[in-house]
Amino acid sequence: MSEPRGASALHWLAAATLLAACAAIAGALLAPHSPDWMWLHWFAKPSATALIFALAWQARPMVSVSYRRFVLAGIACSLAGDVFLMLPGDLFVPGLLAFLAGHVCFTAALLGDSRFATPAWPLLACLAYGTANLVLLWSAIAAPLRVPVIVYVAVLCGMGGQAVARALRGDASARLAARGALVFMLSDSVLAWDRFRGPLPLASLWVLATYYLALWWIARSVQGVEREGRA
């Protein structure tokens, strides 16, 4: 018996996303040693995010139309952030703002069927984690970047806390979203340490691997109820 069309599409998207993500990581790791590899990173990095966008787009059945719309907007903002951060020149602030907008969109998706910070302890725990990172990195963050970074960390931790709070009372889809939100926090933490305190060994590997995993889980949460066991 042939597998359902939706399952087949998921398998192809998973394989294509894995290939693009591996290519993006390989390009980022090889480019410092040979600039000729930078083209691979430039092509594969946004391609992997675009494929994850396609996953969320084709998800059926949806948690809700509104949830999918906000998740798609968040992934699109992340795609813009990808482009800003990989282009020549220091476009860290535009990239930061693009990802900030993405986290606002993800938070809006999470609030469609849950109240903010109910219960409050996941939000407080995530804010404590973000604050600890800020304190440890504070002296290394340039003065003009401190306010944007504080705002970004607050929004990111708010998204993570809301995702966990929602998952406590939600279904498999909510748990997938929570996994993605928490791994997104981890990815951004590694990126921050590498930028402000680094360089960290194999930073591109850890940052991109966790970033794509986070987006994949968030995208799968659009439909993830029936497929939780197939990451």
Side-chain angles (χ1 to χ4, degrees):
M1 181 180 294
S2 61
E3 64 183 351
R5 182 178 179 181
S8 177
L10 177 61
H11 290 160
W12 279 108
L13 277 172
T17 302
L18 179 61
L19 180 62
C22 289
I25 293 169
L29 293 174
L30 293 171
H33 307 287
S34 176
D36 292 339
W37 285 101
M38 185 56 72
W39 70 268
L40 180 63
H41 179 67
W42 287 347
F43 173 76
K45 185 181 181 184
S47 296
T49 306
L51 287 166
I52 294 173
F53 181 96
L55 170 76
W57 177 268
Q58 64 85 43
R60 298 292 189 280
M62 293 175 282
V63 171
S64 72
V65 173
S66 175
Y67 185 87
R68 187 181 73 160
R69 182 182 299 122
F70 280 119
V71 167
L72 287 172
I75 297 173
C77 290
S78 299
L79 178 57
D82 287 341
V83 174
F84 283 127
L85 293 183
M86 75 180 184
L87 289 177
D90 189 359
L91 297 175
F92 179 75
V93 172
L96 191 76
L97 293 175
F99 281 109
L100 175 67
H103 296 319
V104 170
C105 292
F106 292 141
T107 303
L110 299 169
L111 288 172
D113 57 4
S114 62
R115 295 179 60 185
F116 183 69
T118 304
W121 69 261
L123 174 61
L124 296 176
C126 288
L127 287 173
Y129 172 81
T131 300
N133 274 290
L134 275 176
V135 169
L136 293 171
L137 293 172
W138 190 253
S139 62
I141 302 174
L145 291 177
R146 287 177 175 175
V147 171
V149 169
I150 289 173
V151 174
Y152 181 85
V153 169
V155 173
L156 173 63
C157 292
M159 188 263 290
Q162 182 61 25
V164 174
R166 178 174 175 265
L168 293 175
R169 300 180 180 180
D171 54 15
S173 170
R175 292 191 292 273
L176 285 170
R179 291 180 204 171
L182 292 178
V183 175
F184 219 132
M185 291 176 60
L186 175 61
S187 180
D188 279 357
S189 297
V190 177
L191 177 63
W193 277 90
D194 179 65
R195 178 178 177 85
F196 298 122
R197 289 286 193 190
L200 299 178
L202 300 176
S204 296
L205 169 62
W206 311 123
V207 171
L208 290 175
T210 51
Y211 168 63
Y212 289 129
L213 181 60
L215 279 185
W216 177 262
W217 273 333
I218 291 172
R220 282 199 57 225
S221 74
V222 173
Q223 184 276 330
V225 175
E226 297 177 357
R227 298 177 183 168
E228 187 191 16
R230 298 163 57 184

